[in-house]
Amino acid sequence: PCTNQEGLDYVLLDSAPLTEDLVVVGNPRVVVFASEATGRRYVFSAILAEVPNPAVPTTQWPVTSERRFNLTNSEQVRRQEVELDMVVHRFRAGSVVRLVLTNLSVQVADYTMFAPSTNAYELTFSTEHGGEQAVLELPIMVEPLSPAPTDWQ
């Protein structure tokens, strides 16, 4: 993996610790509202992660991500809808579901890569705009899980 953490910045949004396992199958969707103070172009990534031990919040397992580009030069608040990559993941009871909004990180396969923007910008995220709320939609599997056949294990 390539690492360049100069200028790394992020916002962490954590759930409460899960009381039971949560199985996510599909494409999670995030809606946030963003504005850039100088009207410059900006880029950010949304990363879904699992924090297995909330007592050690710096330890996280990236699950899926999507890079979001905004090529409009505007100081206005923009609605950003991000469909994350397909995921099949079981969040364990006791862990925390984390959404990371960052200016640099991109998850590629099993590696986190850092790709800094060539533009300096100041990005502000909001959880509400014009009466609409920010959301994180997780496609949750609600059917009981069945064990794999013995010959698959």
Side-chain angles (χ1 to χ4, degrees):
C2 172
T3 302
N4 176 359
Q5 296 208 25
E6 185 177 329
L8 175 63
D9 204 2
Y10 52 86
V11 174
L12 303 178
L13 303 166
D14 289 350
S15 72
L18 298 175
T19 57
E20 57 186 40
D21 286 3
L22 181 71
V23 178
V24 177
V25 178
N27 295 83
R29 188 177 75 91
V30 176
V31 174
V32 294
F33 305 94
S35 62
E36 203 290 316
T38 65
R40 294 185 178 126
R41 293 179 177 177
Y42 61 85
V43 60
F44 71 92
S45 295
I47 302 171
L48 185 65
E50 180 174 6
V51 180
N53 182 355
V56 186
T58 56
T59 302
Q60 64 183 17
W61 298 334
V63 174
T64 185
S65 69
E66 179 59 41
R67 188 98 161 150
R68 169 57 51 171
F69 293 90
N70 183 341
L71 300 179
T72 58
N73 296 354
S74 172
E75 296 177 34
Q76 297 177 0
V77 174
R78 299 283 181 184
R79 181 181 191 274
Q80 297 289 340
E81 184 170 342
V82 184
E83 184 175 299
L84 284 81
D85 292 336
M86 171 70 176
V87 63
V88 176
H89 184 76
R90 183 172 87 190
F91 291 87
R92 306 262 181 191
S95 67
V96 166
V97 176
R98 172 173 286 170
L99 179 65
V100 182
L101 301 175
T102 178
N103 61 332
L104 296 180
S105 294
V106 175
Q107 169 97 17
V108 178
D110 293 327
Y111 301 99
T112 300
M113 300 174 61
F114 293 94
S117 171
T118 57
N119 297 321
Y121 57 86
E122 183 177 326
L123 191 57
T124 302
F125 290 101
S126 304
T127 57
E128 183 273 334
H129 180 70
E132 184 180 2
Q133 296 292 315
V135 295
L136 169 61
E137 290 180 358
L138 299 175
I140 298 170
M141 181 181 225
V142 292
E143 296 295 320
L145 297 177
S146 57
T150 308
D151 55 337
W152 291 9
Q153 297 179 10

